Amino acid sequence: MDQRFQNLLATAQDKCDGNGLRLTQKRKQVLNILIEASSPLSAYEIKDLYAKQHNENIKPMTIYRALEFLVEANLVHKLNLNNKYIGCARAKCCEHHGYSQFLICVRCGNVEETNVDPVIYEHLVQQAQAYQCEIVMPHLEVACICVRCK
Amino acid sequence: MDQRFQNLLATAQDKCDGNGLRLTQKRKQVLNILIEASSPLSAYEIKDLYAKQHNENIKPMTIYRALEFLVEANLVHKLNLNNKYIGCARAKCCEHHGYSQFLICVRCGNVEETNVDPVIYEHLVQQAQAYQCEIVMPHLEVACICVRCK
DNA sequence: CACGCATTGTTACAGTATAACATAACACAA
DNA sequence: TTGTGTTATGTTATACTGTAACAATGCGTG
Ligand SMILES: [Zn+2]
Ligand SMILES: [Zn+2]
Ligand SMILES: [Zn+2]
Ligand SMILES: [Zn+2]
């Protein structure tokens, strides 16, 4: 396996250990698949890759459980725009995961994860206040066309 | 039927006529259900309501086709956050439908549709440029907790 | 009317996600 | 260590969401 993947996994392990979360084997295997893919995968694409890599069938329920944990731990994000899951691009650099913004290419599916611009965040909060809403915002998804697809 | 719904439907009809789009009976019936609901519905919730209102079973395919048309015509929006559809809150007031922003309550599902703040839009465009991405952005979805659910 | 095109009908199926209950692994205290 | 409660995993079944493919119908235009 690529050294970079090893580092990401090790960092993820540390993050979980430090927060009392259990990054079990199944969860780590699912995370590994997403990190290696480096582009979003559907739950059933993960299922198929798992079956190939481990030469062992795995049930959807198991995948969804692992994903639920990983999303909760901010190691993986669920993209609603295309209904896929992606390994966090910032697992290595950010101890405290803030609000993310995803530029999602509607043609090739490539994704760039960045921080939500503070100016944008402030404007969103203000607008929400006009409706007396409190922003929860796990993240922001922006549809775009990437440089390779133009 | 409520007078306001009548007006919304009439406006929708005018918009379609003016753009060479055919707002057929089935499409209008689906739009009507969404307008009356005033909160997001899943495709199969629409199916059930249709069956009740018209005392007639309707196939999913038919619903999805109507929704595809209505979304294309900007009379209905698809919310990716909760995988539901909502009648456009601005069908009456806006001839040219710009970028929308939705404040979606993660507790009760209530939705507020507004315009995307120009400042936010400009920042998004600039950030996208850093990745040489071109923003497509049909809309922005922001998870929040509404005033009634706090 | 005849033709082309858009819409709708119909069947079958693919893809996504969760409920419910059983079993196994683990943490921790007696 | 052994019991005990908790968390994780296994297993089966089922609900929910969405589309492919082809047939039939309607509609506007020459
Ligand atoms: Zn992240
Ligand atoms: Zn692309
Ligand atoms: Zn709208
Ligand atoms: Zn609410």
Side-chain angles (χ1 to χ4, degrees):
Chain A
M1 198 199 312
D2 190 315
Q3 180 62 38
R4 187 177 142 269
F5 300 157
Q6 293 282 17
N7 289 343
L8 282 170
L9 282 181
T11 306
Q13 185 74 68
D14 290 346
K15 280 174 74 173
C16 287
D17 290 347
N19 292 324
L21 303 173
R22 290 160 61 180
L23 186 58
T24 61
Q25 195 190 27
K26 278 266 146 60
R27 291 165 175 171
K28 199 188 287 195
Q29 286 167 338
V30 169
L31 176 58
N32 185 40
I33 286 173
L34 281 167
I35 288 176
E36 284 188 19
S38 77
S39 66
L41 298 175
S42 77
Y44 280 74
E45 285 169 345
I46 296 171
K47 178 180 185 296
D48 293 342
L49 284 172
Y50 186 98
K52 263 187 206 161
Q53 284 188 16
H54 302 278
N55 222 9
E56 174 200 347
N57 201 16
I58 184 172
K59 302 229 158 57
M61 192 70 255
T62 309
I63 301 285
Y64 282 108
R65 279 171 178 160
L67 287 173
E68 185 186 14
F69 171 88
L70 294 168
V71 167
E72 189 66 28
N74 262 325
L75 297 170
V76 165
H77 302 294
K78 173 169 187 182
L79 302 176
N80 298 306
L81 192 63
N82 50 13
N83 213 23
K84 289 173 188 285
Y85 301 83
I86 188 169
C88 177
R90 310 189 297 181
K92 187 104 181 74
C93 57
C94 294
E95 199 168 29
H96 296 294
H97 196 290
Y99 296 129
S100 282
Q101 177 179 298
F102 298 95
L103 299 175
I104 306 172
C105 177
V106 293
R107 297 227 175 111
C108 71
N110 186 51
V111 173
E112 298 289 348
E113 177 177 358
T114 64
N115 285 304
V116 169
D117 185 308
V119 175
I120 290 178
Y121 181 76
E122 277 312 313
H123 272 74
L124 288 176
V125 169
Q126 282 189 7
Q127 291 188 350
Q129 279 178 347
Y131 294 90
Q132 298 176 273
C133 284
E134 179 188 333
I135 285 190
V136 173
M137 192 163 75
H139 65 248
L140 225 50
E141 300 182 20
V142 183
C144 66
I145 296 175
C146 81
V147 59
R148 287 179 317 213
C149 293
K150 273 196 274 202
Chain B
M1 197 199 311
D2 190 316
Q3 181 62 37
R4 188 177 140 268
F5 301 156
Q6 292 281 14
N7 288 343
L8 282 170
L9 282 180
T11 306
Q13 185 75 67
D14 291 345
K15 277 173 77 173
C16 287
D17 291 345
N19 292 324
L21 303 173
R22 289 162 61 183
L23 187 58
T24 61
Q25 196 191 27
K26 278 266 146 59
R27 290 165 176 171
K28 200 188 289 195
Q29 286 167 338
V30 169
L31 176 58
N32 185 39
I33 287 173
L34 281 168
I35 288 176
E36 283 188 22
S38 76
S39 67
L41 298 175
S42 77
Y44 280 72
E45 285 170 343
I46 296 172
K47 178 181 184 296
D48 292 342
L49 285 172
Y50 187 99
K52 263 188 208 163
Q53 284 189 14
H54 302 279
N55 222 9
E56 175 200 348
N57 201 16
I58 184 173
K59 302 230 157 56
M61 192 72 255
T62 309
I63 301 286
Y64 282 107
R65 279 169 177 161
L67 287 173
E68 184 186 14
F69 171 88
L70 294 168
V71 167
E72 188 67 27
N74 263 324
L75 297 170
V76 165
H77 303 293
K78 172 170 188 182
L79 302 177
N80 298 306
L81 192 63
N82 50 11
N83 211 25
K84 288 173 188 285
Y85 301 83
I86 188 170
C88 177
R90 311 189 296 180
K92 187 105 181 70
C93 59
C94 294
E95 198 167 30
H96 297 293
H97 196 288
Y99 296 129
S100 280
Q101 178 180 298
F102 298 94
L103 298 175
I104 306 172
C105 178
V106 293
R107 298 229 175 109
C108 71
N110 186 51
V111 174
E112 298 289 347
E113 177 177 359
T114 64
N115 285 304
V116 169
D117 184 308
V119 175
I120 290 178
Y121 181 75
E122 277 312 314
H123 271 75
L124 288 176
V125 169
Q126 281 189 9
Q127 290 188 349
Q129 279 178 348
Y131 295 90
Q132 299 177 275
C133 283
E134 179 187 334
I135 286 190
V136 172
M137 193 163 72
H139 65 248
L140 225 51
E141 300 181 20
V142 183
C144 67
I145 296 175
C146 82
V147 59
R148 287 179 318 212
C149 292
K150 273 197 275 204

